[in-house]
Amino acid sequence: MTTPYRWYSMASGAALLALWSVLTLSGLVDERSLPSPVTLAQTFADLLARGYSGSPLWSHVGISIFRALAGFSLAILIGVPLGLLIGRHKVLEAVFAPIIGFFRPIPPIAFITLFVFYFGIGEGPKIGLIFMACLWYVVLNSAEGVRNIPDLIIRAGENIGLTRSQLFLKVVLPAALPAIMTAIRAASSISWTLVVASELIGAQAGLGFMILDSAQYFNLPVTYVGIIIIGLIGLVWELAISAVQRRVLHWQGK
């Protein structure tokens, strides 16, 4: 994002914060329903000092980031190679098409009770839920990226004598990179979105646990602080992925 547009983004955020402050501090909106930014700042400072439910705030943040990153990374490590293979080989596409077509429309949350039944309430089910949600997007986008490569480019690589491995590394992979990066961006958003859902599985720590637990006791300031932290981390995560995409696909638009 160029500098002038960054100012527009900052101005919109500042305007939203100002409107929120006016509505709550003036009494137009009851603070019991929507805590003011001042109240949330005080709550955040208190959480930093005392933690929540016996654990420091940064412990809750760290465990949620770990779960999201673990599920996201596994989906990329398995999904990208699998998608590239499916895109290149019709037999594999035929084998996996009905499997992916069956599982992809099912909301990951539908599997929560099954994950608990089979794997208990440890970290595995939480990471597995995030992994499962991200995997299909990564596989399908990666496969589509390979299928969209013009045959002329493949034949040109073969005609100059490239081996199969050279053809894959120097032709197929670079040509499929835009679709792969789209898959990675989608998976990154999904993984962080599913943190709260994954922490329904018997979690005793994490931002999702903090939000759900505080909401049960109508502790709205803590609930809002948890939501805001999730939003800020998601924003930073998205900006980081965008920066990587611009560096990897530096030739796009030129």
Side-chain angles (χ1 to χ4, degrees):
M1 188 183 294
T2 57
T3 301
Y5 295 108
R6 285 198 183 102
W7 285 109
Y8 290 133
S9 297
M10 294 171 64
S12 66
L16 179 62
L17 184 62
L19 177 62
W20 183 3
S21 300
V22 168
L23 290 174
T24 52
L25 295 177
S26 66
L28 291 174
V29 176
D30 191 344
E31 273 219 35
R32 290 174 295 182
S33 302
L34 178 65
S36 70
V38 173
T39 300
L40 295 188
Q42 293 169 345
T43 302
F44 178 69
D46 186 60
L47 287 169
L48 281 177
R50 301 183 184 182
Y52 184 82
S53 189
S55 298
L57 177 61
W58 298 116
S59 176
H60 292 287
V61 173
I63 193 64
S64 289
I65 291 175
F66 165 75
R67 288 163 181 159
L69 273 177
F72 167 73
S73 300
L74 281 173
I76 299 302
L77 289 173
I78 296 173
V80 170
L82 181 59
L84 294 176
L85 287 171
I86 289 173
R88 285 285 289 162
H89 300 285
K90 296 294 184 183
V91 173
L92 287 177
E93 181 180 357
V95 169
F96 282 97
I99 298 172
I100 296 173
F102 175 80
F103 281 105
R104 190 169 64 91
I106 302 174
I109 296 175
F111 292 99
I112 285 181
T113 53
L114 290 177
F115 273 53
V116 172
F117 179 79
Y118 288 116
F119 305 111
I121 57 173
E123 292 303 312
K126 300 174 183 62
I127 294 171
L129 190 70
I130 294 171
F131 162 75
M132 190 175 188
C134 297
L135 180 65
W136 311 124
Y137 289 89
V138 176
V139 170
L140 288 172
N141 277 280
S142 299
E144 193 64 26
V146 175
R147 282 195 290 265
N148 288 337
I149 299 173
D151 289 337
L152 184 62
I153 295 177
I154 302 294
R155 288 199 297 270
E158 292 171 342
N159 289 338
I160 63 174
L162 294 180
T163 64
R164 282 190 176 185
S165 59
Q166 289 173 329
L167 186 68
F168 176 78
L169 292 174
K170 296 184 177 182
V171 177
V172 174
L173 186 59
L177 268 179
I180 293 172
M181 289 306 303
T182 298
I184 290 173
R185 288 190 68 172
S188 70
S189 299
I190 293 165
S191 64
W192 193 238
T193 301
L194 274 174
V195 164
V196 174
S198 71
E199 290 174 351
L200 287 170
I201 309 175
Q204 296 300 313
L207 290 171
F209 160 76
M210 196 171 83
I211 291 169
L212 295 167
D213 187 71
S214 61
Q216 285 182 337
Y217 296 100
F218 301 101
N219 190 347
L220 288 187
V222 172
T223 303
Y224 272 95
V225 168
I227 291 171
I228 290 170
I229 292 174
I230 284 181
L232 289 174
I233 294 174
L235 176 61
V236 172
W237 193 330
E238 174 65 19
L239 292 174
I241 295 289
S242 298
V244 171
Q245 183 174 14
R246 286 194 300 271
R247 182 173 291 273
V248 172
L249 305 178
H250 57 85
W251 43 266
Q252 275 194 322
K254 295 182 180 179

